[in-house]
Amino acid sequence: MMRERLTALFLVSALLAGAFGMTRPAQPWVQGMQENLFWLKKMQWNSEFDLALAGDSRMFRGVSPEDLGRSLPGVRIANYGFSGCGFSRPYLDAIGGILDPRSEQRVIVLGVTPHSLTPNAARNNGYIDKKNLDPFSAWVYLTFPGISTYLKPYSSVEMRMLTGGPPLAKYYARYHASGWVASHKDPEDPREALEEYRRMFEGGNTVDPAQEDELASYVRKWRAQGIRVIGFRPPVSREMLELETRISGFDEARFINKFKTAGGVWLDIDQTGYHSYDGSHLEEKAARRFSRDLGADIAETLTRPAN
Amino acid sequence: MLFNSLIFIAFALAFYALWPMMRKGNALRWAFITAASFFFYGWWDWRLVFLLLASGALNYAAGLAIAGAGPRKKAALAAGVAANLLLLGAFKYVSFVLLNVNFLLRAAGSSAQLAFEAPPLPIGISFYTFMGISYLADIYKGQISPTRSLLHFLSYISMFPHLIAGPIVRGAHLLPQLTTWNRTTEEQRWQGTMLIVTGMFKKVVIADNISRFLDLAFEFGGPVTLHSMPFWWIAMTVFSFQIYCDFSGYSDIARGLAKWMGYDFPLNFNHPYIANSFRDFWARWHMSLSTWFRDYVYIPLGGGRRGKIRWHINMWITMVLSGLWHGAAWTFVAWGAAHALYLSVERLTKWPERLGRLPAGRWLVSALLIPQIWIAWVFFRAPDMGTALAIIKQMADITALSLAPVFVVGVRPLVFLAVGVAMEMYFYLGIDRSRFADSRAFRAAEFILAAIMILCCVYFRGPGAAFIYFQF
């Protein structure tokens, strides 16, 4: 009886798990690569690109390598942005590692946001999360993506849909192999991200000048290795720009001075001229347009001799 | 490797598949346990294996030395204990000591500052160091004889179920068990499975999902921006259940894994939040550590045998050291001191007994006990004393009654909190001791519940996180 009970438990659990997985509601607004696979593949990049885009979610949602590359034909471009990513040492070390040492011209393009220079972003971010995933789990997810996806935990959106409620918002996302996530939210709320950032900055998580210095030291190091380094501040909504300028502790002029002194080139882009669906991230069409504009700026910069 | 990781599942499958082959011969069994446990430990960082080996060899040799030291055995014990404390102190307390020395130097007007970069704290060191000390003390007291086999000792101290976060298993309890190999009965395997399933559910479904509440609260500025008395009481309820489910979940899994080997680990948590006094709370919370401090600190200091005042002094020393064991920071000292204060007041006034005799006395006692426990947890969770005091101030601010911050942080974790509270209410209301618990209906319900818990561990697990007690 006991032997049957234990075996029965595992059989019943397996059947339950298999059956329950079928109840996962479809989200046709999430497309492209499977999300887990998207991040794991990104973590596997090694010495294979000419140009690396780096930064937080404003980068990985806001810059399309395909559109950027229209002005840079033949250049292998990767979007190496991660969620909430701060420019801390582990991440900075990794950025250079995805560039091909045999490339004729290696370039690092940094999307610098005030949040990416804060202590919280340095400690806890999407890059560190993925880096801390043990190799065996990563191997399982990469080798058995179907089962891994089937058995992944239900998100809040899925649970809400499962219990009969409509999703609060449809978060459209298409995961591209280049590292870009084209995104859009329906309904939009251009003020959505403001409250979150306000609380965070007012709670004490503001720009750390020491992190600015660390980033500058890496710019110097990359320049010494012959890598061109370009930086810019990703576009956001006007209200977000005003909020960050007011309370994030980011002194843009001071930072640009450090960046240029270290050997980087700073691009002065239109910071509020592209449409954001939540105040922080660009919706897909705006991201493509921004990427084309950025690509043209980068191409023009690269025609000039390096400092 | 974490218990809630794929690599551990693969490791455990391989271990238990080979375990039946270890029935012949102690040496083979001990070597197998030791090798597997060192592999388990080394998965975190291969250098830790040498530390564990050094600690094991030190305590093994010290045990033999104490037993053979004759009139010098007290000195041998002192040397062994000192070596253990030095090892622990070097990794865990040097930075804290220097921080305070530098503070005192500055306060005295000196510009001299001592600098030292402490290595990262090796995971599990607080636990296996204390196991080593208890082994030496028990040999000194004549309660056990030292083992003559290094492998035997290493298999005891390194055994992977308890290695990282306890329970702190005494030599007298586990060493004799390790000299046997018994075919596990189906009942043992069922009990072991239930412990593992329950423990995993508490950890990955409840603790990991509710942890996000406080993480977000601090990301959003903590007490600086979130002004609400009810919010902070809810937040501390969340943390109280997070740490309980996380830690007791780990202990349950450890006990279940040991049961699958045919070994018995002591109970480490006995539903502490249903306690009827602080004394009762400490008989239910992290029992292996509280009994360790009782046997190796409190009783040697004299316990309660030297008068009332001396009882209080000895108890305060024990509780403060217990706090310090948890972490090298004043907040942990404050946590220990808070509980010492509670115990002193309880002893002097006997308030739980008096209140318990009133109508609905049990509920009245809980109504007073729980908030005090929650307040003490503030020191445990807050990153520094300033934040801790700011949170406690918020908890007392009756002018800030808005629930808005709860919705800012998100209510989803509270659904999982409710499940955790419901689980404990089952024991608080005594349902576990009712006739229902002996019935066939109960056994059927237990089976269904286990299947549901496994399902939840798959589909409703929270963001994967290390167990809280790994940091101690």
Coordinates of all heavy atoms in Angstrom, one line a residue, chain A residues 61-137:
Chain A
R61 N 15.2 47.7 -25.2 CA 13.9 47.9 -25.8 C 14.0 49.0 -26.8 O 13.1 49.1 -27.7 CB 12.8 48.2 -24.8 CG 12.5 47.1 -23.9 CD 11.3 47.4 -22.9 NE 11.1 46.3 -22.0 CZ 10.4 45.2 -22.2 NH1 9.8 45.0 -23.4 NH2 10.3 44.2 -21.3
G62 N 15.0 49.9 -26.7 CA 15.0 51.1 -27.5 C 15.8 51.1 -28.7 O 15.7 52.0 -29.6
V63 N 16.8 50.1 -28.8 CA 17.7 50.2 -30.0 C 17.7 48.9 -30.8 O 18.0 47.8 -30.2 CB 19.1 50.5 -29.5 CG1 20.0 50.7 -30.8 CG2 19.2 51.8 -28.7
S64 N 17.3 49.0 -32.0 CA 17.2 47.8 -32.9 C 18.5 47.7 -33.7 O 18.8 48.6 -34.5 CB 16.0 48.0 -33.9 OG 16.3 47.3 -35.1
P65 N 19.3 46.6 -33.5 CA 20.5 46.5 -34.3 C 20.3 46.4 -35.8 O 21.1 46.9 -36.6 CB 21.1 45.2 -33.8 CG 20.6 45.0 -32.4 CD 19.2 45.6 -32.5
E66 N 19.1 45.9 -36.2 CA 18.8 45.8 -37.6 C 18.7 47.2 -38.2 O 19.2 47.4 -39.3 CB 17.5 45.0 -37.8 CG 17.6 43.5 -37.5 CD 17.4 43.2 -36.0 OE1 17.2 44.1 -35.2 OE2 17.5 42.0 -35.6
D67 N 18.0 48.0 -37.5 CA 17.7 49.4 -38.0 C 19.0 50.2 -37.9 O 19.3 51.1 -38.8 CB 16.6 50.0 -37.3 CG 15.2 49.4 -37.7 OD1 14.8 48.4 -37.1 OD2 14.7 49.8 -38.7
L68 N 19.7 50.0 -36.8 CA 21.0 50.8 -36.6 C 22.0 50.4 -37.7 O 22.7 51.3 -38.2 CB 21.6 50.3 -35.3 CG 22.7 51.2 -34.7 CD1 22.2 52.2 -33.8 CD2 23.8 50.3 -34.0
G69 N 21.9 49.2 -38.1 CA 22.9 48.7 -39.1 C 22.7 49.2 -40.5 O 23.5 49.0 -41.4
R70 N 21.6 49.9 -40.8 CA 21.3 50.4 -42.1 C 22.4 51.4 -42.5 O 22.8 51.5 -43.7 CB 20.0 51.1 -42.2 CG 18.8 50.1 -42.2 CD 17.6 50.8 -42.8 NE 16.4 50.1 -42.5 CZ 15.2 50.6 -42.8 NH1 15.1 51.7 -43.4 NH2 14.1 49.9 -42.5
S71 N 22.9 52.1 -41.5 CA 24.0 53.1 -41.8 C 25.4 52.5 -41.6 O 26.4 53.1 -41.8 CB 23.9 54.3 -40.8 OG 22.6 54.9 -40.9
L72 N 25.4 51.2 -41.1 CA 26.7 50.6 -40.9 C 26.7 49.2 -41.6 O 26.7 48.1 -40.9 CB 26.8 50.4 -39.3 CG 26.9 51.7 -38.5 CD1 26.5 51.4 -37.1 CD2 28.3 52.3 -38.6
P73 N 26.7 49.2 -42.9 CA 26.6 47.9 -43.6 C 27.8 47.0 -43.3 O 29.0 47.5 -43.2 CB 26.6 48.3 -45.1 CG 27.2 49.7 -45.1 CD 26.9 50.3 -43.8
G74 N 27.6 45.7 -43.1 CA 28.6 44.8 -42.8 C 29.1 44.7 -41.4 O 29.9 43.9 -41.0
V75 N 28.6 45.6 -40.6 CA 29.0 45.6 -39.2 C 28.1 44.7 -38.4 O 26.9 44.8 -38.4 CB 28.9 47.1 -38.6 CG1 29.3 47.1 -37.1 CG2 29.9 48.0 -39.3
R76 N 28.8 43.8 -37.6 CA 28.0 42.8 -36.8 C 27.7 43.5 -35.5 O 28.6 43.9 -34.7 CB 28.8 41.6 -36.5 CG 29.1 40.8 -37.8 CD 30.2 39.7 -37.6 NE 31.5 40.4 -37.2 CZ 32.5 39.7 -36.8 NH1 32.5 38.4 -36.7 NH2 33.7 40.3 -36.5
I77 N 26.4 43.7 -35.3 CA 25.9 44.5 -34.1 C 25.1 43.7 -33.2 O 24.3 42.9 -33.6 CB 25.0 45.7 -34.6 CG1 25.8 46.5 -35.6 CG2 24.6 46.5 -33.4 CD1 24.9 47.5 -36.4
A78 N 25.3 43.8 -31.9 CA 24.6 43.1 -30.9 C 24.0 44.1 -29.8 O 24.7 45.0 -29.4 CB 25.5 42.1 -30.2
N79 N 22.8 43.8 -29.4 CA 22.2 44.6 -28.3 C 22.4 43.8 -27.0 O 21.8 42.8 -26.8 CB 20.7 44.9 -28.6 CG 20.1 45.8 -27.6 OD1 20.5 45.7 -26.4 ND2 19.2 46.7 -28.0
Y80 N 23.4 44.3 -26.2 CA 23.7 43.5 -25.0 C 23.1 44.2 -23.8 O 23.7 44.2 -22.7 CB 25.3 43.5 -24.9 CG 25.8 42.4 -24.0 CD1 25.5 41.1 -24.2 CD2 26.7 42.7 -23.0 CE1 26.1 40.1 -23.5 CE2 27.3 41.7 -22.2 CZ 26.9 40.4 -22.4 OH 27.5 39.4 -21.7
G81 N 22.0 44.8 -23.9 CA 21.3 45.4 -22.8 C 20.6 44.4 -21.9 O 20.1 43.3 -22.4
F82 N 20.5 44.7 -20.6 CA 19.8 43.8 -19.7 C 18.9 44.7 -18.8 O 19.1 45.9 -18.6 CB 20.8 43.1 -18.8 CG 21.6 42.0 -19.5 CD1 22.7 42.3 -20.2 CD2 21.1 40.7 -19.5 CE1 23.4 41.3 -20.9 CE2 21.8 39.7 -20.1 CZ 23.0 40.0 -20.8
S83 N 17.9 44.0 -18.2 CA 16.9 44.7 -17.4 C 17.5 45.3 -16.2 O 18.3 44.7 -15.4 CB 15.8 43.7 -17.0 OG 14.9 44.3 -16.2
G84 N 17.3 46.6 -15.9 CA 17.7 47.3 -14.7 C 19.2 47.3 -14.6 O 19.7 47.4 -13.4
C85 N 19.9 47.2 -15.7 CA 21.4 46.9 -15.6 C 22.2 48.2 -15.2 O 22.1 49.2 -15.8 CB 21.9 46.4 -16.9 SG 23.3 45.4 -16.7
G86 N 23.0 48.0 -14.2 CA 23.9 49.1 -13.8 C 25.3 48.9 -14.4 O 25.7 47.7 -14.7
F87 N 26.0 49.9 -14.6 CA 27.4 49.8 -15.2 C 28.4 49.4 -14.1 O 29.3 50.2 -13.7 CB 27.8 51.0 -15.9 CG 27.1 51.3 -17.2 CD1 26.2 52.3 -17.4 CD2 27.2 50.4 -18.2 CE1 25.5 52.5 -18.6 CE2 26.6 50.5 -19.4 CZ 25.7 51.6 -19.6
S88 N 28.2 48.2 -13.5 CA 29.1 47.7 -12.5 C 30.2 46.8 -13.2 O 30.0 46.4 -14.3 CB 28.3 46.9 -11.5 OG 27.7 45.8 -12.1
R89 N 31.2 46.5 -12.4 CA 32.3 45.8 -12.9 C 32.0 44.5 -13.6 O 32.5 44.3 -14.8 CB 33.3 45.5 -11.8 CG 34.7 45.3 -12.3 CD 35.7 45.3 -11.2 NE 35.8 46.6 -10.5 CZ 36.7 46.9 -9.5 NH1 37.5 45.9 -9.1 NH2 36.7 48.0 -9.0
P90 N 31.2 43.6 -13.1 CA 30.9 42.4 -13.8 C 30.4 42.6 -15.2 O 30.7 41.9 -16.1 CB 29.9 41.6 -12.9 CG 30.0 42.2 -11.6 CD 30.5 43.6 -11.8
Y91 N 29.4 43.6 -15.3 CA 28.8 43.8 -16.6 C 29.8 44.5 -17.5 O 29.9 44.1 -18.7 CB 27.6 44.7 -16.4 CG 26.8 45.1 -17.6 CD1 26.4 44.1 -18.5 CD2 26.5 46.4 -18.0 CE1 25.7 44.3 -19.7 CE2 25.8 46.7 -19.1 CZ 25.4 45.7 -20.0 OH 24.7 46.0 -21.1
L92 N 30.6 45.4 -17.0 CA 31.5 46.1 -17.9 C 32.6 45.2 -18.4 O 33.0 45.3 -19.5 CB 32.2 47.3 -17.1 CG 31.3 48.5 -16.7 CD1 31.9 49.4 -15.7 CD2 30.9 49.3 -18.0
D93 N 33.0 44.2 -17.5 CA 34.0 43.2 -18.0 C 33.4 42.4 -19.1 O 34.1 42.0 -20.1 CB 34.3 42.3 -16.8 CG 35.3 42.9 -15.9 OD1 36.1 43.8 -16.3 OD2 35.3 42.5 -14.7
A94 N 32.1 42.1 -19.0 CA 31.5 41.2 -20.0 C 31.3 41.9 -21.4 O 31.3 41.3 -22.4 CB 30.2 40.7 -19.5
I95 N 31.1 43.2 -21.3 CA 30.7 43.9 -22.6 C 31.9 43.8 -23.6 O 31.6 43.4 -24.8 CB 30.5 45.4 -22.3 CG1 29.2 45.6 -21.5 CG2 30.3 46.2 -23.7 CD1 29.1 47.1 -20.9
G96 N 33.1 44.0 -23.2 CA 34.2 43.9 -24.1 C 34.4 42.5 -24.6 O 34.8 42.3 -25.7
G97 N 33.9 41.5 -23.8 CA 34.1 40.1 -24.2 C 33.3 39.6 -25.4 O 33.5 38.6 -25.9
I98 N 32.2 40.4 -25.7 CA 31.4 39.9 -26.9 C 32.0 40.5 -28.2 O 31.5 40.1 -29.3 CB 29.9 40.3 -26.7 CG1 29.7 41.8 -26.9 CG2 29.4 39.8 -25.4 CD1 28.2 42.1 -27.1
L99 N 33.0 41.3 -28.1 CA 33.6 41.9 -29.3 C 34.6 40.9 -29.9 O 35.4 40.3 -29.2 CB 34.2 43.3 -29.1 CG 33.2 44.4 -28.6 CD1 34.0 45.6 -28.3 CD2 32.2 44.7 -29.7
D100 N 34.6 40.8 -31.2 CA 35.6 40.0 -31.9 C 36.9 40.6 -31.9 O 37.1 41.7 -32.5 CB 35.1 39.7 -33.3 CG 35.9 38.7 -34.1 OD1 37.1 38.4 -33.6 OD2 35.5 38.3 -35.2
P101 N 38.0 40.0 -31.3 CA 39.3 40.7 -31.2 C 39.9 40.9 -32.6 O 40.8 41.7 -32.8 CB 40.1 39.7 -30.3 CG 39.4 38.5 -30.3 CD 37.9 38.8 -30.5
R102 N 39.4 40.1 -33.6 CA 40.0 40.2 -34.9 C 39.2 41.3 -35.8 O 39.5 41.5 -36.9 CB 39.9 38.9 -35.7 CG 40.8 37.8 -35.0 CD 40.3 36.4 -35.5 NE 38.9 36.2 -35.2 CZ 38.2 35.1 -35.5 NH1 38.9 34.1 -36.0 NH2 37.0 35.0 -35.2
S103 N 38.2 41.9 -35.2 CA 37.5 42.9 -35.9 C 38.3 44.1 -36.3 O 39.2 44.5 -35.6 CB 36.3 43.3 -35.0 OG 35.6 44.4 -35.6
E104 N 38.0 44.6 -37.5 CA 38.8 45.8 -38.0 C 38.5 47.0 -37.1 O 39.4 47.8 -36.9 CB 38.4 46.1 -39.4 CG 39.1 45.3 -40.5 CD 38.7 45.6 -41.9 OE1 38.1 46.7 -42.1 OE2 38.9 44.8 -42.8
Q105 N 37.3 47.2 -36.7 CA 37.0 48.3 -35.8 C 36.0 47.9 -34.8 O 34.8 47.6 -35.1 CB 36.4 49.5 -36.6 CG 36.0 50.7 -35.7 CD 37.1 51.3 -35.0 OE1 38.0 52.0 -35.5 NE2 37.2 51.0 -33.7
R106 N 36.4 47.8 -33.5 CA 35.5 47.4 -32.4 C 34.9 48.6 -31.8 O 35.6 49.6 -31.6 CB 36.3 46.6 -31.4 CG 36.7 45.2 -31.8 CD 37.6 44.5 -30.8 NE 38.9 45.2 -30.6 CZ 39.6 45.0 -29.6 NH1 39.3 44.1 -28.6 NH2 40.8 45.6 -29.5
V107 N 33.6 48.6 -31.5 CA 32.9 49.7 -31.0 C 32.0 49.3 -29.8 O 31.4 48.3 -29.9 CB 32.1 50.4 -32.1 CG1 31.4 51.7 -31.6 CG2 32.9 50.7 -33.4
I108 N 32.1 50.1 -28.8 CA 31.1 49.9 -27.7 C 30.2 51.2 -27.6 O 30.8 52.3 -27.5 CB 31.8 49.7 -26.3 CG1 32.5 48.3 -26.4 CG2 30.8 49.8 -25.2 CD1 33.3 48.0 -25.1
V109 N 28.9 51.0 -27.6 CA 28.0 52.1 -27.6 C 27.2 52.0 -26.3 O 26.5 51.0 -26.1 CB 27.0 52.1 -28.8 CG1 26.1 53.3 -28.7 CG2 27.8 52.2 -30.1
L110 N 27.3 52.9 -25.4 CA 26.7 52.9 -24.1 C 25.5 53.8 -24.0 O 25.6 55.0 -24.3 CB 27.7 53.3 -23.0 CG 29.0 52.5 -22.9 CD1 30.0 53.2 -22.0 CD2 28.8 51.1 -22.5
G111 N 24.4 53.2 -23.6 CA 23.2 54.0 -23.3 C 23.2 54.3 -21.8 O 22.8 53.5 -21.0
V112 N 23.6 55.5 -21.5 CA 23.7 55.9 -20.0 C 22.5 56.5 -19.5 O 22.1 57.6 -19.9 CB 25.0 56.8 -19.8 CG1 25.2 57.0 -18.3 CG2 26.2 56.1 -20.4
T113 N 21.8 55.8 -18.6 CA 20.7 56.4 -17.9 C 21.1 56.7 -16.5 O 22.0 56.1 -15.9 CB 19.5 55.5 -17.9 OG1 19.8 54.3 -17.0 CG2 19.1 55.0 -19.2
P114 N 20.4 57.7 -15.8 CA 20.7 57.9 -14.4 C 20.6 56.6 -13.5 O 21.5 56.3 -12.7 CB 19.7 58.9 -13.9 CG 19.4 59.7 -15.2 CD 19.4 58.6 -16.3
H115 N 19.6 55.8 -13.8 CA 19.4 54.6 -13.0 C 20.6 53.6 -13.2 O 21.0 52.9 -12.2 CB 18.1 53.9 -13.4 CG 17.9 52.6 -12.6 ND1 18.1 51.4 -13.1 CD2 17.4 52.5 -11.3 CE1 17.8 50.5 -12.1 NE2 17.4 51.1 -11.1
S116 N 21.2 53.6 -14.3 CA 22.3 52.7 -14.6 C 23.6 53.1 -13.8 O 24.5 52.3 -13.7 CB 22.7 52.6 -16.1 OG 23.2 53.9 -16.5
L117 N 23.5 54.2 -13.1 CA 24.7 54.7 -12.3 C 24.4 54.7 -10.8 O 25.0 55.4 -10.0 CB 25.1 56.1 -12.8 CG 25.6 56.2 -14.2 CD1 25.8 57.6 -14.6 CD2 27.0 55.5 -14.4
T118 N 23.3 54.0 -10.4 CA 22.9 53.9 -9.0 C 23.4 52.6 -8.4 O 23.6 51.6 -9.0 CB 21.4 54.0 -8.9 OG1 20.8 52.9 -9.5 CG2 20.8 55.3 -9.5
P119 N 23.5 52.7 -7.0 CA 24.0 51.5 -6.3 C 23.1 50.3 -6.5 O 23.5 49.2 -6.6 CB 24.0 52.0 -4.8 CG 24.1 53.4 -4.9 CD 23.4 53.8 -6.1
N120 N 21.8 50.5 -6.4 CA 20.8 49.3 -6.6 C 21.0 48.7 -7.9 O 21.0 47.4 -8.0 CB 19.4 49.8 -6.5 CG 18.9 49.9 -5.1 OD1 19.7 49.7 -4.1 ND2 17.6 50.1 -4.8
A121 N 21.2 49.5 -9.0 CA 21.4 48.9 -10.3 C 22.7 48.1 -10.4 O 22.8 47.1 -11.1 CB 21.3 50.0 -11.4
A122 N 23.7 48.6 -9.7 CA 25.0 47.9 -9.7 C 24.8 46.5 -9.0 O 25.4 45.5 -9.4 CB 26.0 48.7 -9.0
R123 N 24.0 46.5 -8.0 CA 23.9 45.3 -7.1 C 23.0 44.2 -7.7 O 23.3 43.0 -7.8 CB 23.4 45.6 -5.7 CG 24.5 46.0 -4.7 CD 23.9 45.9 -3.3 NE 22.7 46.7 -3.2 CZ 22.7 48.0 -2.8 NH1 23.8 48.6 -2.5 NH2 21.5 48.6 -2.7
N124 N 21.8 44.7 -8.1 CA 20.7 43.8 -8.5 C 20.3 44.1 -9.9 O 19.7 45.2 -10.1 CB 19.5 43.9 -7.6 CG 19.9 43.6 -6.1 OD1 20.5 42.6 -5.9 ND2 19.6 44.5 -5.3
N125 N 20.5 43.3 -10.8 CA 20.1 43.6 -12.2 C 20.0 42.4 -13.0 O 20.4 41.3 -12.6 CB 21.0 44.7 -12.9 CG 22.4 44.1 -12.9 OD1 22.7 43.1 -13.6 ND2 23.4 44.8 -12.3
G126 N 19.4 42.5 -14.2 CA 19.1 41.4 -15.1 C 20.4 40.6 -15.5 O 20.4 39.4 -15.6
Y127 N 21.5 41.4 -15.6 CA 22.7 40.7 -16.1 C 23.2 39.8 -14.9 O 23.6 38.6 -15.2 CB 23.8 41.7 -16.4 CG 25.2 41.0 -16.7 CD1 25.4 40.3 -17.9 CD2 26.2 41.0 -15.7 CE1 26.6 39.6 -18.1 CE2 27.3 40.3 -15.9 CZ 27.5 39.6 -17.1 OH 28.7 38.9 -17.3
I128 N 23.2 40.3 -13.7 CA 23.7 39.5 -12.6 C 22.8 38.3 -12.3 O 23.3 37.2 -12.0 CB 23.9 40.4 -11.3 CG1 25.1 41.3 -11.5 CG2 24.0 39.6 -10.1 CD1 25.3 42.3 -10.4
D129 N 21.5 38.5 -12.5 CA 20.6 37.4 -12.3 C 20.9 36.3 -13.3 O 20.9 35.1 -12.9 CB 19.1 37.8 -12.7 CG 18.5 38.5 -11.5 OD1 19.0 38.4 -10.4 OD2 17.4 39.1 -11.8
K130 N 21.1 36.6 -14.6 CA 21.4 35.6 -15.6 C 22.8 35.0 -15.3 O 23.0 33.8 -15.5 CB 21.4 36.2 -17.0 CG 20.1 36.9 -17.3 CD 18.9 36.0 -17.3 CE 17.6 36.6 -17.6 NZ 17.1 37.5 -16.6
K131 N 23.7 35.8 -14.9 CA 25.1 35.3 -14.6 C 25.1 34.3 -13.5 O 25.9 33.4 -13.5 CB 26.0 36.5 -14.3 CG 27.5 36.2 -14.2 CD 28.3 37.5 -14.1 CE 29.6 37.3 -13.4 NZ 30.5 36.4 -14.1
N132 N 24.2 34.6 -12.5 CA 24.2 33.7 -11.4 C 23.4 32.4 -11.6 O 23.4 31.5 -10.8 CB 23.5 34.4 -10.2 CG 24.4 35.4 -9.6 OD1 25.6 35.4 -9.8 ND2 23.9 36.4 -8.8
L133 N 22.8 32.2 -12.7 CA 22.1 31.0 -13.1 C 23.2 29.9 -13.2 O 24.2 30.1 -13.9 CB 21.3 31.1 -14.4 CG 20.5 30.0 -14.8 CD1 19.3 29.7 -13.8 CD2 19.9 30.2 -16.2
D134 N 23.0 28.8 -12.5 CA 24.0 27.8 -12.5 C 24.1 27.2 -13.9 O 23.1 27.0 -14.6 CB 23.8 26.8 -11.4 CG 22.7 25.8 -11.7 OD1 22.9 24.8 -12.4 OD2 21.6 26.1 -11.2
P135 N 25.3 26.7 -14.3 CA 25.6 26.2 -15.7 C 24.7 25.1 -16.0 O 24.2 24.9 -17.2 CB 27.0 25.8 -15.7 CG 27.6 26.5 -14.5 CD 26.6 26.8 -13.5
F136 N 24.4 24.2 -15.0 CA 23.6 23.0 -15.3 C 22.1 23.5 -15.7 O 21.6 23.0 -16.7 CB 23.5 22.1 -14.1 CG 22.7 20.8 -14.4 CD1 23.3 19.8 -15.1 CD2 21.4 20.7 -13.9 CE1 22.5 18.6 -15.4 CE2 20.7 19.5 -14.1 CZ 21.3 18.5 -14.9
S137 N 21.6 24.4 -15.0 CA 20.2 24.9 -15.3 C 20.2 25.5 -16.7 O 19.3 25.3 -17.5 CB 19.7 25.9 -14.2 OG 19.6 25.2 -13.0

